[in-house]
């Protein structure tokens, strides 16, 4: 192996993981073509289902990362927190031109199936390392939606 190739591999292994600025789950994401500003529509962290297993027809996930150094194999996936089993995911490459750059992802999933009520998460991995996650819950028709603030918040 050439010294140059080995040096690049050593640099890649010491490369810091990007920092997650946000992970949001919503009904739709709109990007204004003129300003490039992003609008997240219908943000949620609870899905109510009439029965299980259930299928959610359409979900968008918005992820923003910074402090990246070069290329990363990036995976965004849904997982059941009780079993730690991934349900569905997407894999692709992110390329940071410099560490100050903010890289945004707008991902769309259709017909995602959930077997049981409980806690789930959207997890982001860069080069196989967990970079960040966002929890959400699936509840049945008779369960109360948890409060979003105040003394009863969990």
């Amino acid at each position: 192996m050439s010294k140059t190739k080995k040096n690049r591999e050593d640099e890649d292994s010491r490369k810091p993981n990007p920092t997650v600025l946000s992970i949001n789950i919503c009904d739709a994401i709109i990007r204004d073509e003129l300003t490039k500003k992003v609008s997240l529509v219908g943000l949620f962290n609870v899905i109510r289902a009439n029965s299980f297993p259930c299928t959610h027809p359409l979900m968008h996930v918005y992820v923003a990362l910074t402090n990246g150094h070069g290329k990363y194999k990036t995976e965004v996936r849904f997982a059941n927190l009780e079993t730690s089993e991934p349900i569905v995911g997407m894999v692709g490459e992110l390329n940071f031109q410099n560490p100050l750059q903010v890289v945004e992802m707008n991902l769309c999933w259709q017909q995602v199936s959930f077997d049981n009520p409980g806690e789930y998460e959207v997890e982001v991995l860069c080069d196989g390392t967990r970079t960040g996650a966002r929890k959400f819950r699936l509840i049945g028709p008779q369960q109360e939606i948890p409060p979003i603030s105040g003394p009863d918040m969990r």
Side-chain angles (χ1 to χ4, degrees), residues 15-46:
K15 172 171 68 170
N17 226 19
T19 301
V20 172
L21 297 174
S22 70
I23 302 172
N24 297 96
I25 309 165
C26 57
D27 295 326
I29 299 174
I30 302 167
R31 180 178 301 272
D32 182 283
E33 287 305 313
L34 182 63
T35 65
K36 304 300 183 204
K37 290 181 180 179
V38 175
S39 297
L40 306 179
V41 180
L43 292 158
F44 61 88
N45 61 8
V46 175

Side-chain angles (χ1 to χ4, degrees), residues 14-135:
R14 292 189 310 258
K15 172 171 68 170
N17 226 19
T19 301
V20 172
L21 297 174
S22 70
I23 302 172
N24 297 96
I25 309 165
C26 57
D27 295 326
I29 299 174
I30 302 167
R31 180 178 301 272
D32 182 283
E33 287 305 313
L34 182 63
T35 65
K36 304 300 183 204
K37 290 181 180 179
V38 175
S39 297
L40 306 179
V41 180
L43 292 158
F44 61 88
N45 61 8
V46 175
I47 298 171
R48 183 186 299 271
N50 290 324
S51 62
F52 290 91
C54 71
T55 301
H56 196 283
L58 180 68
M59 284 189 267
H60 287 262
V61 174
Y62 171 83
V63 179
L65 302 126
T66 193
N67 196 35
H69 298 261
K71 294 180 182 180
Y72 295 84
K73 178 183 174 189
T74 303
E75 180 177 8
V76 179
R77 65 186 181 191
F78 288 86
N80 181 322
L81 285 178
E82 186 176 311
T83 64
S84 299
E85 290 295 317
I87 297 167
V88 65
M90 292 183 191
V91 178
E93 186 176 273
L94 290 184
N95 187 16
F96 290 84
Q97 301 299 317
N98 66 69
L100 298 177
Q101 179 184 9
V102 175
V103 173
E104 299 173 305
M105 292 184 281
N106 171 0
L107 306 169
C108 178
W109 277 273
Q110 296 179 13
Q111 305 301 316
V112 178
S113 295
F114 298 96
D115 290 335
N116 299 299
E119 288 197 355
Y120 292 79
E121 71 178 0
V122 175
E123 183 178 31
V124 178
L125 297 101
C126 291
D127 288 342
T129 301
R130 182 180 167 108
T131 304
R134 172 71 181 251
K135 289 183 184 179

